[in-house]
Amino acid sequence: MPGINIGIDLGTSNVRFFVEGKGLVMTDNTVTASDTHSGKTVSLGAKAYQMIGRTPDSVAVHYPLRDGIISDFTAAQNLLRYYLQKICGNRIFKPNLLLCMPSGLTGLEQRTLLNIAVSSGAAKACLIEKSLAAAIGAGVDYRKPRGTMVVDIGGGTTEIAVVTMGSLARHESLRIGGNTFDQDIRRYVRRERYILIGRLTAEQIKKKIGCAYLRDAEIAIAVKGKSYLSGMPVVFEASTTEIYLAMREHLEQIAEAVRNTLSQSTPELMGDIADSGIVLTGGSALLPGIAGCIERRAQVRTVVADDPANCVARGIGIALEHMELLDANGCFYKTPQQIGTSA
Ligand code: ADP
Ligand code: MG
């Protein structure tokens, strides 16, 4: 097959590109900004991300994905087309793409993803389940008849799956992720302190002092916001305890869902998982204490994978190099033909 093979982890928060033979070549925010009059894209990725909450009337920020699913077809296409052009330069042959998808997508949603890939400049496009890619990227021997539980906590969703023999035995997708925690922090500060803060500020607070347990030694940082009452700028101190309390409910919901998925597994798979433990991947697995939070609820040893944010992209990369193996092992990836479209 002429043309280079590129693996893409198109997530709600970040998009990552893996080029066969080169590795992970690019990571950027899944955000675009366009001119409201002409509709022309003015910015993409990190530059567009920095515009959130700061745009004039003439510029609109777009989120190509919401809750793990394409919600803005044009924005997604613009983003992919731009990066594919950047990666491929002026090569004659179009690239072949392997994209990850959340489990449980309908045929129509899968076709939408494949259509976007092809209309963004792909010669051929295939899909792989995100949880499977996460397991491969986390170093799980996915081919064995042995169950492993992988929980990918990203920006918009949490994907819980039991992987065995290169397939998903159980899966559950929650619309809870890092963005939910950011919203929790914003809501908490507004309710408890009558102060408004933006999305980016909330995310920064979470990354700096957020944790999934009540810390003995509290840490506080100064944060700038806008008073809800006077409308004027204010500086306040946000503490680890407050931030934990703000996110607690959704953290517990994730842990509860992991426990539920585990409890629905067959006794054999459950025994395997009890031995091998639960593996966490995704950017939000970097939240300190999140493994402990899940471990307490599920009663199974839980570990965060190495470099969790890049696990899915790495897994797609490995799958790219073993395409024939994936093909022989079952329905790991789907070409447009396999899901019934000639896209
Ligand atoms: P997606 O695959 O859904 O695009 P990622 O797996 O890239 O998402 O994870 C992005 C999420 O991880 C964001 O919500 C981001 O705030 C969160 N995140 C990144 N680093 C940290 C960190 N150090 N602590 C807590 N959350 C983090
Ligand atoms: Mg991800």
Side-chain angles (χ1 to χ4, degrees):
M1 174 71 65
I4 54 171
N5 294 331
I6 302 178
I8 305 178
D9 170 13
L10 182 58
T12 313
S13 299
N14 295 295
V15 56
R16 299 180 170 88
F17 295 86
F18 189 106
V19 177
E20 193 178 359
K22 284 193 183 162
L24 197 61
V25 294
M26 187 124 44
T27 301
D28 215 340
N29 298 99
T30 318
V31 183
T32 69
S34 70
D35 185 303
T36 41
H37 302 300
S38 65
K40 253 186 84 176
T41 304
V42 292
S43 208
L44 288 149
K47 281 193 190 141
Y49 180 76
Q50 288 305 325
M51 292 180 182
I52 296 173
R54 298 192 170 108
T55 48
D57 287 347
S58 58
V59 175
V61 171
H62 307 279
Y63 304 98
L65 276 83
R66 225 169 258 281
D67 302 330
I69 297 170
I70 302 278
S71 61
D72 188 330
F73 193 96
T74 317
Q77 205 178 24
N78 289 340
L79 192 81
L80 287 188
R81 188 178 294 147
Y82 173 80
Y83 286 110
L84 289 180
Q85 241 157 31
K86 208 167 164 177
I87 292 169
C88 298
N90 45 11
R91 284 172 197 266
I92 297 170
F93 295 109
K94 290 178 173 181
N96 307 305
L97 304 188
L98 180 61
L99 278 104
C100 71
M101 60 167 178
S103 28
L105 279 196
T106 62
L108 184 68
E109 286 164 337
Q110 295 184 13
R111 277 199 295 277
T112 304
L113 252 180
L114 291 172
N115 279 332
I116 287 175
V118 172
S119 59
S120 305
K124 189 178 158 200
C126 309
L127 302 175
I128 179 169
E129 261 149 333
K130 192 185 268 189
S131 297
L132 186 59
I136 299 173
V140 170
D141 189 351
Y142 57 97
R143 284 162 290 191
K144 277 194 191 155
R146 196 177 159 75
T148 311
M149 185 174 243
V150 182
V151 182
D152 183 83
I153 316 172
T157 57
T158 295
E159 297 269 324
I160 306 166
V162 178
V163 176
T164 179
M165 294 166 68
S167 247
L168 306 189
R170 289 224 85 80
H171 66 80
E172 176 75 48
S173 185
L174 295 184
R175 293 187 172 190
I176 301 175
N179 296 346
T180 324
F181 301 145
D182 303 346
Q183 274 165 22
D184 287 341
I185 295 171
R186 293 178 75 182
R187 205 171 297 138
Y188 185 91
V189 172
R190 190 174 62 216
R191 195 180 63 223
E192 300 294 322
R193 295 180 174 262
Y194 302 108
I195 294 171
L196 305 176
I197 56 170
R199 256 182 89 141
L200 301 195
T201 308
E203 188 181 15
Q204 277 161 11
I205 300 175
K206 176 187 71 180
K207 286 188 181 173
K208 276 195 186 139
I209 63 164
C211 64
Y213 60 97
L214 211 51
R215 285 177 71 109
D216 291 337
E218 210 175 79
I219 304 173
I221 52 165
V223 180
K224 287 186 206 139
K226 172 183 168 177
S227 165
Y228 185 50
L229 302 174
S230 68
M232 297 308 285
V234 281
V235 177
F236 66 100
E237 277 209 337
S239 73
T240 40
T241 306
E242 278 181 305
I243 302 307
Y244 165 67
L245 291 177
M247 304 187 301
R248 184 172 60 178
E249 198 178 318
H250 283 121
L251 286 165
E252 291 298 332
Q253 280 181 23
I254 292 177
E256 186 59 32
V258 171
R259 186 192 160 104
N260 274 341
T261 310
L262 183 66
S263 70
Q264 287 159 12
S265 303
T266 60
E268 283 79 10
L269 287 174
M270 203 180 273
D272 294 344
I273 298 167
D275 278 348
S276 56
I278 298 170
V279 183
L280 304 187
T281 65
S284 299
L286 289 165
L287 191 74
I290 197 156
C293 176
I294 292 174
E295 184 169 311
R296 271 192 302 279
R297 188 63 73 98
Q299 297 289 308
V300 171
R301 189 173 57 86
T302 305
V303 293
V304 178
D306 280 346
D307 188 14
N310 290 322
C311 269
V312 172
R314 271 203 313 270
I316 299 175
I318 296 171
L320 265 183
E321 281 153 16
H322 295 89
M323 213 70 142
E324 69 301 328
L325 181 144
L326 286 177
D327 205 13
N329 257 282
C331 189
F332 285 5
Y333 74 96
K334 296 196 172 88
T335 62
Q337 290 74 25
Q338 275 176 310
I339 56 168
T341 170
S342 55

